[in-house]
Amino acid sequence: MNYRHAYHAGNFADCVKHALLLSLIRILSRKDAGFCVLDTHAGCGRYDLSGEEALKTGEWHDGIGRLLDQVELSPALSDYLSTVRALGLYPGSPLITRHALRPQDRLVACELHPEDVRPLRRLFRADPQVAIHHRDGYEALRALLPPKDLKRGLVLIDPPFEKRDDFERCAEAVSLIRSRFRAATIAIWYPIKHRAPVRTFHDTLINAGIRDITTYEFLLRPPLDATRLNGCGVLVVNAPWGFDEDARAILTGLRDGLDGTHEELDIRIERLAEE
Ligand SMILES: C[S@@+](CC[C@H](N)C(=O)[O-])C[C@H]1O[C@@H](n2cnc3c(N)ncnc32)[C@H](O)[C@@H]1O
């Protein structure tokens, strides 16, 4: 396991993922009944952007650094940015999620890297609403779903994509989640280097008969050079009502807020399968 999120925390792709994640949780919170968020690849929970790893890449400067520096940004980003500000050290997905939970909701987070699971455990020690598992997030789906006492939920799958089969494992995970916890919303973050693997991933889900799929993509440049991270996407299955509109406003706000960091910023929302 070579991937360490501390090198990439706060980059444009993290901002896209976290702003959309927070919006999904806010929409789920509109109904009183509690829900469970399962974060299969949680990372270490929070990151020091002045630390050695973040300094080495400097990626956060063209992401959260740029957004936090600006006064006039789209109101669609204000919830996300005020959450980041409120949490002190730059928050990862489990901390953002925890911040948005109500007393009736729960977070279950899996992390496989021993050095990342330790700070994650420390962060949520003695928090009765959070359970941390040191285990493979894909395998955990079978053991942890459906949640024991909650009928609503969100599964976030955010792998490092350092292995060749991550797209395949994500597609298998969707079918598994649908069979064990049909009501769940599923959000999968994916990198866009070039189009072919992304298209294959989408086609695999469509051919497996998965319904109600939408993709929300943010591109820095056309995905032509497969050696670079040219953009990213979040694929959502079973998005809650109202998410599409919020996601469009968030991606537009991010495009405007990150304008100037790259020459050909673009956003793309595509409905892959109807309900
Ligand atoms: C992209 S990072 C997660 C970032 C986090 N979701 C966030 O947004 O703050 C991916 C994480 O998955 C962990 N990981 C890699 N393979 C895993 C697996 N099979 N199961 C669980 N975690 C895994 C890595 O150690 C890394 O911390």
Side-chain angles (χ1 to χ4, degrees):
M1 293 180 73
N2 292 322
Y3 183 92
R4 307 305 303 280
H5 196 61
Y7 289 94
H8 311 289
N11 69 6
F12 79 97
D14 232 22
C15 298
V16 170
K17 168 181 61 190
H18 292 158
L20 294 177
L21 167 68
L22 185 59
S23 164
L24 283 169
I25 295 174
R26 295 295 190 213
I27 296 174
L28 288 175
S29 305
R30 287 179 193 159
K31 288 190 184 154
D32 284 344
F35 56 83
C36 175
V37 178
L38 172 57
D39 188 339
T40 59
H41 295 70
C44 60
R46 62 181 172 186
Y47 301 88
D48 180 1
L49 297 183
S50 60
E52 198 184 313
E53 295 93 341
L55 281 176
K56 197 159 182 179
T57 63
E59 287 183 17
W60 66 272
H61 290 288
D62 282 349
I64 196 65
R66 175 67 72 108
L67 297 175
L68 290 176
D69 266 356
Q70 295 175 54
V71 207
E72 289 203 23
L73 275 176
S74 158
L77 297 182
S78 63
D79 189 15
Y80 166 58
L81 293 176
S82 56
T83 298
V84 172
R85 283 197 184 94
L87 289 170
L89 273 190
Y90 176 79
S93 54
L95 193 52
I96 289 181
T97 299
R98 176 63 187 98
H99 185 72
L101 294 188
R102 307 159 302 167
Q104 64 268 46
D105 308 322
R106 277 204 326 266
L107 166 65
V108 178
C110 301
E111 170 56 48
L112 195 54
H113 201 297
E115 282 174 40
D116 281 350
V117 80
R118 237 176 277 129
L120 185 65
R121 278 228 164 93
R122 268 201 305 274
L123 186 59
F124 295 111
R125 193 175 38 213
D127 186 331
Q129 285 180 252
V130 182
I132 304 297
H133 295 262
H134 180 199
R135 67 187 300 177
D136 183 307
Y138 295 116
E139 287 174 17
L141 294 170
R142 221 172 270 283
L144 301 176
L145 293 181
K148 272 199 199 82
D149 47 349
L150 296 172
K151 294 198 165 49
R152 307 166 61 223
L154 166 66
V155 181
L156 171 67
I157 305 181
D158 179 25
F161 286 91
E162 62 181 355
K163 297 205 180 107
R164 292 176 69 89
D165 65 351
D166 265 318
F167 275 119
E168 280 162 47
R169 293 194 83 184
C170 282
E172 286 163 13
V174 172
S175 293
L176 184 69
I177 297 164
R178 293 294 278 172
S179 68
R180 298 185 73 87
F181 189 22
R182 196 160 189 86
T185 295
I186 306 167
I188 301 178
W189 181 92
Y190 58 87
I192 305 176
K193 293 184 171 176
H194 65 133
R195 268 282 155 216
V198 174
R199 209 172 288 129
T200 304
F201 172 50
H202 294 175
D203 287 347
T204 306
L205 291 174
I206 294 167
N207 294 336
I210 306 296
R211 311 299 306 160
D212 195 1
I213 314 174
T214 312
T215 55
Y216 303 88
E217 295 186 345
F218 190 94
L219 291 156
L220 301 179
R221 59 185 86 82
L224 301 174
D225 177 354
T227 64
R228 304 176 78 188
L229 183 64
N230 298 306
C232 68
V234 176
L235 179 142
V236 182
V237 178
N238 197 18
W241 195 83
F243 178 67
D244 224 48
E245 201 180 318
D246 287 8
R248 189 175 294 278
I250 286 168
L251 290 182
T252 306
L254 287 170
R255 186 187 58 199
D256 296 346
L258 298 180
D259 190 27
T261 56
H262 297 84
E263 274 169 26
E264 296 177 82
L265 296 188
D266 200 7
I267 61 177
R268 183 168 154 169
I269 296 178
E270 200 181 346
R271 188 89 176 125
L272 295 188
E274 297 301 329
E275 273 177 60

